[in-house]
Amino acid sequence: MDFHDARTCVIFGAGDYYDETPAIPDDAFVVAADGGLDHARAFGIDADFVVGDFDSITGDRPTQNDRTIALPSEKDDPDLLSALKIGWLRGARTFHIYGALGGRIDHTISNIQLMALLADRGATGYLHGDGSIVTAICDGALDFPADDAVAGRMVSVFSHSDISTGVSETGLKYELHHADMSSTRVNGLSNEFLAGTSRITVEHGTLIVTFPIEAPLPHVARWHGFSGDLGALDTDVSSALVEPSGR
């Protein structure tokens, strides 16, 4: 399994694509997660790698080879995390994920948590879906360039951490300066872009940020170096499955 390193990884998930066409950079490493292979095929995209337990695929199951990993259905890691791990091991630190919003709410929550995991490791993930993008930032800032086309469109900020400190939102309709946010208080919902540049910062903690898909992607700044990775690819049946006593 020898593939070129890539700074950007595009992942096809099995969820809804809302009539949106994924944008694939020329040098991107492409991973199809389970039923995401159906969507990649529909867009005429040849995935570099395919991973999953293949419980959601409707087309032909991929042939087992060095570009395909079949996972057990009773596993700990969701298919998207496995896809992220594969992209990470190929050198990617920016991830664009399609088909991971909407549908089952538990899957959506899981996928948002994975964006927080990436941010905690010093990487950036973007969930694309239904005209919006969801991302996360840990101990850093998102700098949005000026764009007249998105003035008035909504941007929302939530604390994924129990407490996020030093949160500022500048250049938006409602400005916030060095505030604290918590995971149980909603005080960053439905802000608005203006025509100029804008910035969302957090001194300590992890924020979940949503913004319209037509907005320019932000420049990501981080206040310090990050350590750790996403862990090894888990291909085992979950150890949490314990045979009932008496059998």
Side-chain angles (χ1 to χ4, degrees), residues 113-134:
Q113 285 190 315
L114 291 176
M115 298 306 97
L117 171 64
L118 288 174
D120 186 66
R121 299 297 189 269
T124 304
Y126 298 101
L127 300 173
H128 297 250
D130 200 19
S132 295
I133 292 178
V134 181

Side-chain angles (χ1 to χ4, degrees), residues 12-70:
F12 285 80
D16 200 330
Y17 282 62
Y18 302 97
D19 297 323
E20 295 170 359
T21 301
I24 313 295
D26 291 339
D27 61 347
F29 183 80
V30 180
V31 181
D34 206 289
L37 181 59
D38 291 324
H39 296 285
R41 287 168 170 167
F43 287 112
I45 302 297
D46 183 21
D48 294 299
F49 214 97
V50 183
V51 64
D53 54 22
F54 305 123
D55 62 347
S56 61
I57 194 169
T58 59
D60 293 337
R61 186 177 174 126
T63 302
Q64 183 69 31
N65 54 41
D66 61 357
R67 296 174 55 192
T68 300
I69 291 184

